[in-house]
Amino acid sequence: DQQVKQNSPSLSVQEGRISILNCDYTNSMFDYFLWYKKYPAEGPTFLISISSIKDKNEDGRFTVFLNKSAKHLSLHIVPSQPGDSAVYFCAASAQTGNQFYFGTGTSLTVIP
Amino acid sequence: GAGVSQSPRYKVAKRGQDVALRCDPISGHVSLFWYQQALGQGPEFLTYFQNEAQLDKSGLPSDRFFAERPEGSVSTLKIQRTQQEDSAVYLCASNRDRNTQYFGPGTRLTVL
């Protein structure tokens, strides 16, 4: 049973425009969320995180929004750059557990 | 500083062979995780160590999978009598606190 879902396997965006990647979760115990970026043949690299006590966290071009009532989070990249082309995974964890639960990823292509 | 390293990067095994995958976490990181990532999927939790103690092995798919971290640093994931369904990328991650995980590049295991 997939507790973290990324329903869009792929997304294409023009350079300079906004990229919005979405993630939904089912477990109400999740209280910490992360986004990872992955290039081929490399491990995921941490991008940005958010705690459930916040609804927004911003780091440069990257902003993560959390809607707890909808159990939904999104990653906004503005402006998108060709180097942002990668697979993006969202992950969630609960205070009571040890593991991170990952979505299946969204492949972002930024077109120059 | 050095990140998480894994070896080998690629491993081809004949069905029924035993394999051992190595992970060198970031120095000083107490927590170490192993994940299995099948093609087109997100990483799935296998097991978790805090120092040398294996605190959670609920994700190990069968008793053919065994992990150890005897001195609280390097960890080895062993798979006995490999099967074709074991083919995946095996990711190791370490973290100092709960806020993020640093992943290694992974070992791609192909069982023929």
Side-chain angles (χ1 to χ4, degrees):
Chain A
D1 183 30
Q2 195 80 19
Q3 298 191 53
V4 177
K5 299 178 185 178
Q6 293 176 258
N7 292 319
S8 298
S10 63
L11 175 68
S12 289
V13 170
Q14 205 72 31
E15 180 180 3
R17 306 295 288 268
I18 185 171
S19 295
I20 300 176
L21 296 98
N22 293 303
C23 180
D24 296 289
Y25 61 97
T26 57
N27 190 339
S28 57
M29 297 299 291
F30 288 153
D31 65 346
Y32 197 77
F33 305 88
L34 306 94
W35 283 94
Y36 283 86
K37 176 179 178 178
K38 186 181 182 305
Y39 293 117
E42 295 183 12
T45 55
F46 170 75
L47 201 55
I48 192 168
S49 64
I50 189 166
S51 162
S52 61
I53 61 173
K54 294 185 175 182
D55 54 19
K56 176 182 174 182
N57 189 26
E58 191 172 351
D59 183 3
R61 297 185 297 114
F62 302 91
T63 303
V64 56
F65 295 91
L66 175 63
N67 182 333
K68 289 187 289 295
S69 60
K71 294 192 179 69
H72 177 84
L73 64 155
S74 61
L75 174 68
H76 292 209
I77 307 174
V78 183
S80 302
Q81 299 174 353
D84 297 330
S85 297
V87 177
Y88 290 78
F89 291 98
C90 67
S93 71
Q95 182 73 28
T96 53
N98 302 309
Q99 59 176 288
F100 286 79
Y101 295 84
F102 283 79
T104 52
T106 296
S107 178
L108 172 67
T109 302
V110 180
I111 304 162
Chain B
V4 178
S5 61
Q6 292 184 246
S7 61
R9 291 294 312 276
Y10 302 91
K11 177 69 180 176
V12 178
K14 289 184 180 176
R15 190 171 151 226
Q17 272 186 330
D18 297 349
V19 298
L21 312 180
R22 177 187 168 109
C23 172
D24 284 82
I26 293 172
S27 177
H29 279 194
V30 168
S31 299
L32 185 146
F33 296 76
W34 282 99
Y35 290 87
Q36 181 190 60
Q37 185 176 16
L39 192 63
Q41 300 296 314
E44 291 201 5
F45 171 81
L46 293 177
T47 187
Y48 160 66
F49 289 86
Q50 188 168 332
N51 295 306
E52 69 278 4
Q54 189 175 19
L55 298 185
D56 188 344
K57 53 181 182 179
S58 62
L60 295 177
S62 78
D63 59 6
R64 296 185 296 102
F65 287 71
F66 172 76
E68 60 183 5
R69 193 186 184 198
E71 297 177 0
S73 55
V74 172
S75 177
T76 304
L77 176 67
K78 297 179 180 177
I79 309 173
Q80 296 176 323
R81 304 181 303 281
T82 52
Q83 304 294 316
Q84 283 189 319
E85 61 263 27
D86 300 335
S87 296
V89 175
Y90 291 85
L91 293 162
C92 175
S94 70
N95 52 295
R96 187 173 50 225
D97 53 43
R98 188 187 169 216
N99 291 344
T100 189
Q101 290 189 327
Y102 296 90
F103 282 85
T107 294
R108 179 176 295 278
L109 173 65
T110 303
V111 181
L112 303 177

